[in-house]
């Protein structure tokens, strides 16, 4: 009799232990975390240069931003399903045309791949290469009334130090493989032929800039060229000329991006 009672008790304990283990297993199951829809924000501040992310190379630190770092953030935003819109927060006087072209190409890929909206917002300054980036693929461009923007144009700096070198007794000589190998050398005047070569390069890049603005702003190239003499415009002037869409700040642009991305109010602002 005692033996039967003992066996029954053991069986009951075994069943209870099995049930408890099942309950614990359910409690330890992985929990699914739902990430809310959000707007990705990419900050573009300072001089824009071409190259890899400066954080990856201690020998190429910059006070501005590289095209590599911006493109990386654009691709991360494109790969994130929770990101429903992209905001470019710009405060830059410009930089490299090549860097602007690289970033612009990546922004167009973002639009083609994701079909998601892009909104640009310009702070103190969004000129030259920064304006190129702002308008190349954006659905809306915001600026403050006092923002300085535009500066649609291209220039190539050149300095002639020949007379200075003569005064301090420095003579520069070189052996070159062709007549234009030392073009833009600062120790001699530029020849008319060299100036013509460089002017053609500047003109070609300028035409690309004009085309980018014309397509991005849905304007005739002739109208863009009438505005593209290198000058800057205030945000208010730019709006009246069709170079930006709205007068507003970062939060206005963020709200517009949320609306275009069909995000519910209170969605997360994702700073990248």
């Amino acid at each position: 009799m005692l033996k039967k009672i003992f066996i029954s008790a053991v069986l009951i304990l075994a069943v209870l232990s099995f049930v408890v283990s099942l309950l614990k297993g359910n409690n330890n199951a992985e929990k699914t975390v739902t990430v809310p829809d959000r707007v990705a924000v990419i900050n573009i501040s300072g001089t824009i240069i071409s190259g890899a992310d400066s954080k990856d190379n201690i020998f190429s630190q910059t006070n501005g931003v590289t095209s590599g770092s911006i493109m990386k953030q654009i691709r991360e935003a494109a790969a994130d399903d929770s990101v429903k819109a992209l905001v470019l927060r710009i405060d830059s006087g410009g930089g490299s045309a090549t860097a602007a072209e690289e970033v612009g190409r990546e922004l167009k890929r973002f639009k083609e791949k994701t079909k998601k909206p892009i909104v640009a917002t310009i702070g103190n300054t969004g000129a030259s290469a920064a304006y190129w980036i702002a308008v190349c693929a954006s659905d809306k461009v915001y600026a403050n009334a006092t923002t300085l923007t535009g500066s649609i144009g291209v220039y190539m700096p050149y300095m002639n130090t020949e007379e200075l070198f003569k005064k301090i007794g420095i003579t520069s000589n070189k052996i070159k493989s062709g007549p234009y190998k030392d073009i833009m050398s600062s120790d001699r005047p530029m020849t008319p032929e060299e100036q013509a070569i460089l002017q053609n390069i500047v003109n070609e890049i300028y035409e690309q800039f004009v085309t980018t603005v014309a397509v991005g702003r849905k304007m005739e190239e002739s109208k863009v060229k009438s505005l593209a003499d290198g000058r800057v415009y205030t945000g208010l002037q730019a709006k009246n000329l069709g170079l930006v869409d709205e007068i507003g700040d970062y939060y206005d642009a963020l709200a517009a991006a949320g609306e275009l991305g069909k995000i519910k109010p209170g969605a997360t602002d994702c700073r990248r």
Side-chain angles (χ1 to χ4, degrees):
M1 183 67 179
L2 290 174
K3 186 177 180 180
K4 288 182 179 180
I5 294 173
F6 177 75
I7 292 172
S8 299
V10 170
L11 288 173
I12 292 171
L13 287 173
V15 171
L16 288 173
S17 297
F18 179 70
V19 172
V20 170
S21 66
L22 286 177
L23 292 174
K24 285 185 176 180
N26 289 335
N27 289 335
N28 291 332
E30 284 190 21
K31 295 180 180 179
T32 302
V33 178
T34 302
V35 178
D37 292 344
R38 53 188 177 171
V39 176
V41 179
I42 297 178
N43 291 295
I44 302 174
S45 181
T47 304
I48 304 165
I49 64 172
S50 182
D53 191 342
S54 60
K55 294 179 182 177
D56 297 334
N57 187 346
I58 61 173
F59 298 106
S60 62
Q61 295 296 316
T62 174
N63 291 326
V65 62
T66 64
S67 58
S69 66
I70 301 171
M71 290 190 291
K72 180 180 178 182
Q73 292 176 78
I74 295 169
R75 293 206 165 196
E76 288 173 350
D80 190 337
D81 291 335
S82 69
V83 171
K84 303 303 179 185
L86 181 63
V87 166
L88 306 175
R89 192 176 191 184
I90 298 170
D91 197 343
S92 167
S96 161
T98 301
E101 180 186 0
E102 289 179 323
V103 173
R105 186 178 296 113
E106 205 60 45
L107 287 169
K108 290 174 183 176
R109 284 180 182 150
F110 175 89
K111 288 292 289 288
E112 291 170 2
K113 178 181 177 181
T114 69
K115 312 301 181 186
K116 295 173 183 177
I118 300 174
V119 175
T121 174
I122 305 172
N124 288 309
T125 311
S128 198
Y131 182 72
W132 181 322
I133 291 171
V135 302
C136 67
S138 296
D139 296 277
K140 270 192 173 184
V141 179
Y142 280 76
N144 296 287
T146 53
T147 291
L148 293 181
T149 189
S151 188
I152 305 167
V154 180
Y155 82 99
M156 192 175 290
Y158 166 71
M159 181 182 296
N160 184 352
T161 60
E162 181 183 20
E163 294 301 319
L164 174 62
F165 282 3
K166 285 180 180 179
K167 289 181 179 180
I168 58 179
I170 295 178
T171 302
S172 175
N173 296 304
K174 63 197 72 169
I175 300 170
K176 53 187 180 179
S177 59
Y180 303 118
K181 184 58 184 174
D182 66 336
I183 195 169
M184 292 186 74
S185 288
S186 62
D187 57 359
R188 64 172 179 81
M190 188 180 294
T191 67
E193 293 78 13
E194 291 172 328
Q195 188 167 352
I197 290 170
L198 295 176
Q199 187 64 58
N200 285 335
I201 293 172
V202 168
N203 293 346
E204 182 180 315
I205 299 171
Y206 170 77
E207 291 293 336
Q208 186 178 348
F209 197 168
V210 167
T211 299
T212 298
V213 175
V215 173
R217 299 304 304 156
K218 297 178 175 60
M219 295 170 63
E220 293 293 330
E221 287 198 8
S222 58
K223 182 178 179 181
V224 175
K225 284 187 175 181
S226 71
L227 305 172
D229 57 7
R231 77 180 71 184
V232 294
Y233 300 95
T234 66
L236 189 58
Q237 290 172 338
K239 183 180 184 303
N240 292 333
L241 293 168
L243 295 176
V244 303
D245 295 296
E246 302 288 347
I247 297 298
D249 59 21
Y250 164 68
Y251 292 103
D252 295 317
L254 196 62
E259 184 177 344
L260 290 171
K262 297 179 173 59
I263 301 174
K264 294 179 181 179
T268 303
D269 167 9
C270 174
R271 299 178 184 275
R272 293 183 165 268

